[in-house]
Amino acid sequence: MPSLTPNSLASLLESAVKIRSSLLGRATHAQTIKTLQYPLSPFLANHLINMYSKLDLPNTANIVLQLTPTRSVVTWTALISGAVQNGHFSSALLQFFNMRRENIQPNDFTFPSAFKASASLRLPFIGKQVHAIAVKFGQIYDVFVGCSAFDMYSKTGLKHEAQKLFDELPERNVVTWNAYISNAVLDGKLINAVNAFVEFRRAGGEPDSITFCAFLNACADPLYLDLGRQLHGFVIQSGFEADVSVSNGLIDFYGKCREVRLAEMVFGGMEKRNAVSWCSMVAACEQNGEEEKACVFFLKGRREGVQPTDYMVSSVISACAGLAGLELGRSVHALAVKACMEVDIFVGTALVDMYGKCGSIEDAERAFHEMPERNMVTWNAMIGGYTHQGHADMAIRLFEEMKSEVAPNYVTMVCILSACSRGGAVELGMEVFKSMRDRYMIEPGSEHYACIVDLLGRAGMVENAYEFVKKMPIRPTIEVWGALLNACRMHGKPELGKIAASNLFELDPKDSGNHVLLSNMFAAAGRWEEATLVRKEMIDVGIKKGAGCSWLTAKNEIHVFQAKDTSHAMNSEIQAMLVKLRMEMKAAGYVPDTNYALHDLEEEEKITEVWYHSEKIALAFGLIAIPPGVPIRITKNLRICGDCHSAFKFISGIVGRKIIVRDNSRFHHFQSSQCSCRDYW
């Protein structure tokens, strides 16, 4: 076998770096020792140090360094850049200053690595020292060194120094402008980013894919939709529409601008897609309330062999939460476990949130306690889960535990005040509200005021709630007046209800729910003429009541029902089950609450009207299609009516099944003729 030359050995070491093979690198090192005499030439020593450093074997790289008597700037730069590449920023800076102790002058490759290490460690005073050295050796005006120094100052918060350095650069290439635009976006100065792009173009600069992506990030707000669309046209004109990263940026841009249709158009026109493409599309759908589409894109991506990222998994889990899609959520959870992603803080938090919103509080608790670390969002998700389930005592207990680890924020206080409201803890709720400013330095917002109105209103203190509204330091919002109107309906306060409704109509005249709530309140009080008048006003101004529907999942299929629905393939079995339930409930003492039917019907017609509400039809189907022992989970787009609530308590006791209903307000767990809300809803 012919002996290997230094050049061929160097080529093998470069190949080891390229394919990330430490085995090939070590074998080549062994062959080098066997073939050549020590000490090695600086040429091969530099290649070995570069290889070990880039493959994240810093100890071995240092040993080779110590065995190399003649060390140049290339030797040290290989060691420093490898350390930075693998995230060993402190080590990189230490080696930089060791190099200076040997009186070796850094070059235009060394300085960028040192600046990046300073920026990553958020050490501007070190960065300034490196800057001074670059000035001393006349390297600061090199376009790459200057760009790296600018990026360091930007990322360490020294905006004035960054701008001064940028203005003084004699030459700016596309990398410099990309750094300027990207840092302006990260700093929230979108206008600066836009202006920089315009200035870059006026100076004759030709953008690359990074420029386009940075500019799209600057436009990722509905306020800048038109500007982003203009850039989209320029992308096509420049021939970059085939660039995968730019197309991914466009999908993300349109998603954040609430233009899912345009995001789909870009996605559909891509010749090549990568995991980021699918991830961006899933996220765009989930962020815009298109949860079902998000799940469809996720499943299509999986069928095409896309390996999901932690961001994609957390996005689709959030979509499952919005759909109350427990079974798909569990499947994605299994995928996350298989890929060792469940320990990721974002995936774990999404799981806690999903299980809480799907009514499986036990699974939410398990996911919460299995997380190796938690952030503020994780705690809020768990507290919110308890709140939605009606477990006010558990939410409050977790809130006390949370305070020993992290300080509560705005969202935490909304969750805990909602828990107090739903649990009837008036004194505690008022105490928490009063402590927001003094103890937690949180300025109460409209959501907090709405929670207090709801808290007082649910407890029957409707007049107190109205007085609270009148004394609010901010203008009452739709949520505030809505909470008061709901309290007036619950406790029969039609005069105050008219005041709340009047303000609601002024703030949101097209919302049918407020009109229906007012009409039902008058009907419950026997004031039929006023109830009819409200309904007539709705017709006159063209407001249509939103259609109520309920759905559940059985055998991997979603079944949707509306009131009086007879369209289902199993309609005859559903009707037979409804008749059977009605007979058994009547024998058990059930009396229909016909306050939820139109007043101009005969009593028998009213009974029939409330009996064929969508949630009852869904429940009848669930009893047929879902095996015994498995909870029946129903979701409704409106609030469950009082008669259905009463009926479900009876049915849960008669059939011995757990029934979980998620309406547009909260969860109701029916079991053994009881509901988790304790009729306090």
Side-chain angles (χ1 to χ4, degrees):
M1 177 181 174
S3 60
L4 294 170
T5 66
N7 283 337
S8 57
L9 288 167
S11 295
L12 283 172
L13 291 171
E14 287 173 359
S15 298
V17 173
K18 191 177 292 184
I19 64 173
R20 306 287 299 171
S21 172
S22 60
L23 182 63
L24 174 59
R26 288 181 186 279
T28 305
H29 189 179
Q31 186 63 34
T32 303
I33 296 170
K34 181 180 177 182
T35 306
L36 305 172
Q37 291 184 342
Y38 260 94
L40 295 175
S41 68
F43 172 72
L44 274 177
N46 290 345
H47 273 85
L48 281 167
I49 291 169
N50 180 67
M51 182 270 295
Y52 283 123
S53 188
K54 293 281 170 54
L55 294 183
D56 201 14
L57 296 166
N59 292 335
T60 311
N62 272 299
I63 291 170
V64 177
L65 179 79
Q66 298 303 319
L67 295 173
T68 304
T70 307
R71 298 191 282 249
S72 67
V73 65
V74 177
T75 315
W76 286 100
T77 301
L79 192 67
I80 293 165
S81 62
V84 169
Q85 182 179 301
N86 289 290
H88 305 306
F89 304 116
S90 298
S91 176
L93 290 175
L94 178 64
Q95 299 296 359
F96 178 84
F97 289 111
N98 285 340
M99 178 187 74
R100 290 297 301 129
R101 287 191 188 98
E102 293 194 2
N103 205 28
I104 294 175
Q105 180 178 323
N107 64 15
D108 54 348
F109 291 98
T110 324
F111 281 115
S113 293
F115 281 127
K116 184 174 181 180
S118 303
S120 300
L121 292 170
R122 299 292 190 270
L123 295 174
F125 66 96
I126 297 290
K128 284 183 174 183
Q129 292 178 46
V130 177
H131 184 182
I133 297 169
V135 171
K136 178 181 178 181
F137 293 117
Q139 293 273 9
I140 194 61
Y141 294 120
D142 176 88
V143 66
F144 293 104
V145 175
C147 179
S148 301
F150 164 77
D151 192 59
M152 179 275 295
Y153 281 125
S154 297
K155 286 186 166 58
T156 54
L158 300 179
K159 308 302 178 186
H160 175 74
E161 288 83 348
Q163 187 64 52
K164 186 173 183 294
L165 180 61
F166 184 82
D167 293 337
E168 291 175 353
L169 288 175
E171 181 188 353
R172 300 167 187 159
N173 63 5
V174 67
V175 177
T176 315
W177 286 101
N178 288 347
Y180 189 95
I181 295 169
S182 299
N183 280 296
V185 173
L186 289 172
D187 201 32
K189 296 180 178 177
L190 304 184
I191 291 295
N192 288 9
V194 171
N195 291 339
F197 180 82
V198 173
E199 188 181 343
F200 169 56
R201 289 292 296 142
R202 282 177 181 160
E206 288 298 328
D208 60 12
S209 60
I210 297 172
T211 320
F212 284 122
C213 291
F215 189 86
L216 286 167
N217 280 333
C219 298
D221 185 287
L223 292 173
Y224 300 103
L225 174 62
D226 289 341
L227 191 62
R229 294 186 72 169
Q230 289 177 44
L231 183 73
H232 189 176
F234 183 51
V235 165
I236 295 170
Q237 182 185 336
S238 305
F240 274 88
E241 74 275 17
D243 187 286
V244 175
S245 60
V246 174
S247 292
N248 292 344
L250 283 165
I251 294 169
D252 181 67
F253 155 69
Y254 282 124
K256 287 175 179 172
C257 288
R258 305 183 192 126
E259 292 286 348
V260 178
R261 182 184 61 82
L262 295 176
E264 286 185 76
M265 181 191 74
V266 174
F267 183 83
M270 293 175 70
E271 293 181 7
K272 293 181 180 179
R273 304 183 185 114
N274 57 17
V276 178
S277 313
W278 288 95
C279 183
S280 298
M281 199 63 239
V282 170
C285 294
E286 186 274 323
Q287 289 163 3
N288 288 280
E290 300 273 3
E291 289 92 354
E292 191 170 344
K293 272 187 181 179
C295 294
V296 168
F297 275 111
F298 176 78
L299 294 172
K300 280 184 179 178
R302 290 293 295 146
R303 282 195 289 271
E304 292 199 14
V306 175
Q307 291 301 314
T309 62
D310 50 1
Y311 184 57
M312 182 190 282
V313 167
S314 61
S315 294
V316 78
I317 290 171
S318 295
C320 293
L323 289 171
L326 180 62
E327 296 310 314
L328 178 58
R330 280 181 170 153
S331 299
V332 179
H333 186 179
L335 179 67
V337 171
K338 184 178 179 182
C340 299
M341 289 182 191
E342 81 281 8
V343 296
D344 178 86
I345 193 164
F346 299 106
V347 172
T349 299
L351 285 168
V352 173
D353 184 60
M354 182 271 293
Y355 282 124
K357 287 179 178 174
C358 289
S360 184
I361 201 67
E362 297 84 2
D363 288 322
E365 289 174 327
R366 190 175 300 112
F368 179 81
H369 291 300
E370 287 177 356
M371 289 180 68
E373 61 173 321
R374 307 176 189 120
N375 61 14
M376 174 63 67
V377 182
T378 316
W379 287 93
N380 288 346
M382 193 67 243
I383 292 172
Y386 283 133
T387 299
H388 291 306
Q389 306 297 322
H391 301 311
D393 52 340
M394 296 297 292
I396 293 163
R397 191 179 307 164
L398 190 64
F399 174 64
E400 293 299 324
E401 183 183 336
M402 167 194 173
K403 289 188 292 185
S404 64
E405 293 197 21
V406 293
N409 66 0
Y410 188 98
V411 176
T412 315
M413 305 315 288
V414 173
C415 292
I416 205 65
L417 288 173
S418 296
C420 292
S421 172
R422 295 177 182 190
V426 177
E427 289 185 12
L428 178 60
M430 295 305 295
E431 182 184 327
V432 169
F433 180 77
K434 289 173 183 175
S435 70
M436 284 179 61
R437 279 196 194 95
D438 300 336
R439 186 172 178 185
Y440 303 112
M441 306 302 179
I442 300 171
E443 186 65 29
S446 58
E447 296 92 342
H448 304 111
Y449 286 107
C451 287
I452 294 299
V453 173
D454 191 55
L455 171 74
L456 296 171
R458 283 177 187 268
M461 303 162 68
V462 185
E463 287 80 6
N464 300 58
Y466 181 51
E467 289 300 317
F468 180 83
V469 172
K470 290 195 291 184
K471 293 176 182 177
M472 281 175 55
I474 61 175
R475 187 185 179 192
T477 60
I478 292 171
E479 292 78 16
V480 171
W481 289 116
L484 184 62
L485 178 58
N486 188 53
C488 293
R489 180 200 61 80
M490 289 171 61
H491 298 287
K493 302 285 185 179
E495 296 308 320
L496 267 181
K498 285 172 70 175
I499 296 172
S502 175
N503 282 280
L504 280 169
F505 298 161
E506 183 182 332
L507 291 170
D508 192 5
K510 295 296 183 181
D511 187 351
S512 64
N514 298 326
H515 290 79
V516 172
L517 198 59
L518 181 63
S519 175
N520 289 344
M521 182 180 64
F522 284 136
R527 295 163 66 163
W528 300 110
E529 290 184 9
E530 290 168 287
T532 304
L533 183 62
V534 173
R535 298 274 180 171
K536 184 177 181 301
E537 285 175 355
M538 288 177 63
I539 296 170
D540 291 343
V541 297
I543 299 173
K544 293 184 178 180
K545 179 180 179 292
C549 64
S550 301
W551 63 92
L552 76 165
T553 302
K555 298 177 182 177
N556 296 321
E557 186 179 347
I558 297 173
H559 301 262
V560 184
F561 301 91
Q562 291 187 336
K564 304 178 187 177
D565 202 332
T566 58
S567 61
H568 197 276
M570 295 180 65
N571 181 58
S572 56
E573 292 94 330
I574 291 170
Q575 297 303 320
M577 176 60 73
L578 285 169
V579 170
K580 178 175 179 291
L581 289 172
R582 192 169 175 180
M583 291 173 60
E584 291 177 345
M585 288 165 65
K586 187 176 181 181
Y590 163 73
V591 178
D593 185 348
T594 56
N595 283 328
Y596 300 91
L598 297 174
H599 75 277
D600 53 354
L601 299 176
E602 296 297 328
E603 187 61 26
E604 188 58 35
E605 291 177 304
K606 288 182 181 181
I607 293 172
T608 303
E609 182 84 13
V610 297
W611 184 248
Y612 289 100
H613 280 181
S614 63
E615 53 265 59
K616 291 193 183 82
I617 299 173
L619 175 57
F621 171 74
L623 289 169
I624 297 165
I626 297 175
V630 178
I632 299 172
R633 300 175 184 274
I634 299 169
T635 306
K636 185 174 181 180
N637 65 333
L638 303 176
R639 189 176 186 271
I640 186 172
C641 83
D643 179 69
C644 289
H645 191 270
S646 175
F648 277 32
K649 288 199 297 181
F650 271 93
I651 294 170
S652 69
I654 290 168
V655 300
R657 297 283 291 270
K658 187 173 184 178
I659 304 164
I660 301 168
V661 178
R662 176 188 175 183
D663 67 8
N664 68 350
S665 175
R666 64 178 296 165
F667 276 93
H668 297 269
H669 292 248
F670 299 95
Q671 192 170 17
S672 304
S673 303
Q674 300 292 324
C675 179
S676 59
C677 73
R678 303 189 302 277
D679 298 336
Y680 192 82
W681 57 286

